[in-house]
Amino acid sequence: MDSALIPKGVKRCPLPIFILGIVIIGIVLLWGVYAMILCWLKGLNQTNMNDYYGFALWIWADLAIIALGGGAFFTGLLRYIFGLDELKNIINYAVLIGFICYSSALLILAIDVGQPLRSWFIFWHANVHSMLTEVAFCLSCYFSVLAIEYIPLVLENRQIDKIPFFHHLGHNMHKVMAVFAATGAFLSCFHQGSLGGVAGVLYGRPFAYREGLLVWPWTFFLFTWSAAACGPCFTILITKITEFITGKKLVKDNVIDLLAKISGWMLGSYIIAKIIDTIYWATVTAPSLGFNLMDFYKDNSFYGIWILIVEIAVCGILPAVILLVPKFRQNKLLLYTAIILASIGVCLNRWVMVLQVMAAPVMSFDTWALYIPSWQEIATTILPVAYGIILIMISFRYLPIFPQEKELNSIE
Amino acid sequence: MLPFSFEWVWDAGHIVFMGGLWYSLSILGMGMTYCVIKTIIDINSNDQTENDHH
């Protein structure tokens, strides 16, 4: 029924099955929308946030999906600025994933801000001393970049492409895409970094506080680095999940191998920097503020030293080694393990830098403040996942996302 | 915020932050304007070519 909209030379599932899939995911989406409306109508009393947790599940989700969406800017940088031509076969999907991640982050922020009608205040009445202002500027600008990168893909739809204006527009946008990609990389470096900087400048919270370079704490650089390292891993992970669900090979192994190798180098160098940062913080910074390392990992039921070991060793060193050694990287099971661990690792890092920071006691009379999110917070955090799946389903069905699909899956 | 806004102060913070924002928006705006204008020129020149053929 919709075959005129499907790209030429590829096969898609029957329309009823596609609609059934959309309906199933749509139910989850509606649950999230219901919770979102509750938050907007009744206010933030629908959440379990309090004076301890001004930053909670939503901010963690924001930071995590922004880091995972980092594959878009880093792959774009490699493709358009460093000229790695093989990556043209995965850049469309990286852009789509980035677009989903950043639109989701903005959606969550629109709920979290509590008074969305005043969202524009941060642009017009900007506090120029706040790292979060920089985040808001760069985030919204970079989302515009991702939209600009996604538009040519939409314009390549078989029917839209027949309209001369859109055909030429898509072609012209492709020609200047390097300018947009460079702008995107610049914006990404700053907002990824500033998200880390927000934690690093909290001198009243020794668990988060870091020294640094000029106005930027070390967490600024570590956040950008980790997003560039783990974002491409998430792109590979979603590509592999898509291949599994569709039962098709969508990207050639040499492309995945190249991206995985670059991720490995980024992750390896990041984890060395992270270890140095942790050792310096544990032996110099925290003691200078009256704390020992184990003060941050005892007297509570959840945040033990295990979390540090999992973040650095299991989700950092292990995937870096797998991705760096060609023999390991080319083993499918090990590759999947590495990209899953790297994706979990960056999410865990953001959890620690948002929620453990809030939970750890600061004053001698303080106790650990643990928090469990309300169902409304959970539903609105799952909402972007459902939205993302639906957008991927629609884009995969109607747009030529994978240039190698036709070659790898010839239909008679 | 723009320099004519009452909140504006001519200090490094405002110049760097707001300058960066407007600089980025200008690049995106000019890039898209170029694409749209080039597209209109391309379409017109294609029409012209087709008319010439006729």
Side-chain angles (χ1 to χ4, degrees):
Chain A
M1 200 187 292
D2 61 343
S3 53
L5 293 166
I6 293 172
K8 269 187 183 163
V10 298
K11 199 166 183 288
R12 295 287 179 263
C13 69
L15 186 62
I17 294 176
F18 173 70
I19 291 173
L20 181 69
I22 295 274
V23 169
I24 292 168
I25 305 296
I27 292 167
V28 180
L29 183 97
L30 287 177
W31 179 52
V33 170
Y34 173 63
M36 179 178 78
I37 291 170
L38 278 180
C39 291
W40 274 342
L41 291 181
K42 297 189 174 181
L44 294 180
N45 60 3
Q46 297 295 299
T47 72
N48 281 351
M49 289 193 282
N50 51 36
D51 288 347
Y52 271 99
Y53 284 94
F55 281 2
L57 185 72
W58 284 334
I59 295 296
W60 165 73
D62 259 343
L63 265 64
I65 54 180
I66 286 170
L68 294 172
F73 96 84
F74 193 61
T75 315
L77 185 76
L78 295 170
R79 161 80 179 90
Y80 293 109
I81 310 301
F82 294 115
L84 296 182
D85 208 38
E86 295 98 315
L87 296 180
K88 70 182 177 196
N89 299 306
I90 201 166
I91 186 71
N92 290 345
Y93 209 36
V95 165
L96 174 60
I97 293 165
F99 180 81
I100 290 167
C101 289
Y102 277 80
S103 51
S104 301
L106 289 173
L107 175 68
I108 292 175
L109 283 176
I111 309 169
D112 196 11
V113 77
Q115 180 59 284
L117 291 177
R118 293 183 186 168
S119 305
W120 60 276
F121 274 32
I122 201 163
F123 298 100
W124 199 255
H125 306 293
N127 171 9
V128 296
H129 304 291
S130 166
M131 290 243 178
L132 282 176
T133 305
E134 188 185 339
V135 171
F137 284 6
C138 292
L139 202 67
S140 38
C141 286
Y142 184 55
F143 176 65
S144 308
V145 172
L146 283 169
I148 290 170
E149 288 180 340
Y150 182 52
I151 287 169
L153 194 59
V154 176
L155 299 181
E156 280 181 41
N157 172 272
R158 256 170 80 186
Q159 298 306 317
I160 299 175
D161 192 53
K162 285 179 183 169
I163 302 166
F165 179 81
F166 291 138
H167 174 81
H168 283 91
L169 182 62
H171 182 68
N172 287 325
M173 287 176 78
H174 271 304
K175 282 203 288 194
V176 293
M177 201 51 81
V179 176
F180 295 127
T183 311
F186 168 80
L187 292 167
S188 280
C189 285
F190 275 91
H191 75 249
Q192 298 277 5
S194 288
L195 285 170
V198 169
V201 296
L202 295 176
Y203 56 83
R205 292 199 173 265
F207 181 73
Y209 179 69
R210 297 290 192 279
E211 285 153 39
L213 185 68
L214 302 174
V215 297
W216 299 290
W218 296 125
T219 46
F220 179 98
F221 305 100
L222 290 173
F223 265 50
T224 305
W225 210 333
S226 57
C230 301
C233 288
F234 186 66
T235 305
I236 298 172
L237 177 63
I238 300 295
T239 306
K240 289 294 168 190
I241 291 173
T242 311
E243 285 185 343
F244 175 75
I245 292 171
T246 57
K248 292 176 174 189
K249 189 151 185 64
L250 300 169
V251 181
K252 284 184 181 173
D253 287 338
N254 68 318
V255 179
I256 298 289
D257 188 67
L258 175 65
L259 199 56
K261 185 172 81 176
I262 294 168
S263 278
W265 280 105
M266 292 299 292
L267 190 58
S269 52
Y270 160 73
I271 211 68
I272 290 169
K274 173 75 186 169
I275 290 168
I276 294 169
D277 170 73
T278 305
I279 291 171
Y280 187 81
W281 161 74
T283 56
V284 179
T285 312
S288 73
L289 298 166
F291 285 80
N292 292 316
L293 174 66
M294 286 314 294
D295 291 338
F296 302 116
Y297 298 100
K298 65 178 185 185
D299 300 333
N300 78 94
S301 56
F302 184 69
Y303 294 110
I305 193 74
W306 66 268
I307 204 163
L308 186 65
I309 295 167
V310 170
E311 185 197 335
I312 291 180
V314 181
C315 296
I317 298 170
L318 183 61
V321 169
I322 293 173
L323 294 175
L324 280 172
V325 178
K327 201 168 71 179
F328 295 161
R329 190 170 68 230
Q330 279 146 18
N331 178 313
K332 279 187 181 172
L333 188 64
L334 286 178
L335 175 70
Y336 297 159
T337 307
I339 56 177
I340 290 169
L341 285 178
S343 302
I344 292 172
V346 78
C347 294
L348 189 62
N349 173 261
R350 286 357 182 213
W351 180 280
V352 164
M353 294 307 282
V354 174
L355 289 161
Q356 193 172 351
V357 168
M358 300 284 153
V362 177
M363 312 301 274
S364 55
F365 50 82
D366 271 346
T367 53
W368 282 82
L370 299 180
Y371 135 98
I372 297 170
S374 68
W375 75 263
Q376 289 91 333
E377 286 175 88
I378 294 170
T380 44
T381 305
I382 293 172
L383 161 68
V385 179
Y387 146 74
I389 294 171
I390 289 175
L391 193 56
I392 285 178
M393 285 171 75
I394 294 171
S395 301
F396 178 72
R397 188 172 180 84
Y398 298 119
L399 306 177
I401 291 179
F402 296 102
Q404 295 177 319
E405 184 187 355
K406 219 184 290 185
E407 183 191 343
L408 292 167
N409 306 273
S410 57
I411 51 172
E412 289 148 26
Chain B
M1 196 192 304
L2 288 166
F4 52 75
S5 166
F6 76 93
E7 295 161 89
W8 182 269
V9 181
W10 283 102
D11 62 6
H14 281 79
I15 293 167
V16 170
F17 261 72
M18 302 312 296
L21 174 68
W22 291 114
Y23 178 66
S24 305
L25 288 175
S26 303
I27 291 176
L28 300 183
M30 285 193 296
M32 282 310 292
T33 307
Y34 165 81
C35 291
V36 171
I37 292 173
K38 180 82 169 47
T39 301
I40 294 167
I41 293 169
D42 288 348
I43 290 172
N44 286 337
S45 61
N46 274 4
D47 287 347
Q48 191 66 44
T49 314
E50 277 172 24
N51 287 339
D52 291 346
H53 281 303
H54 287 298

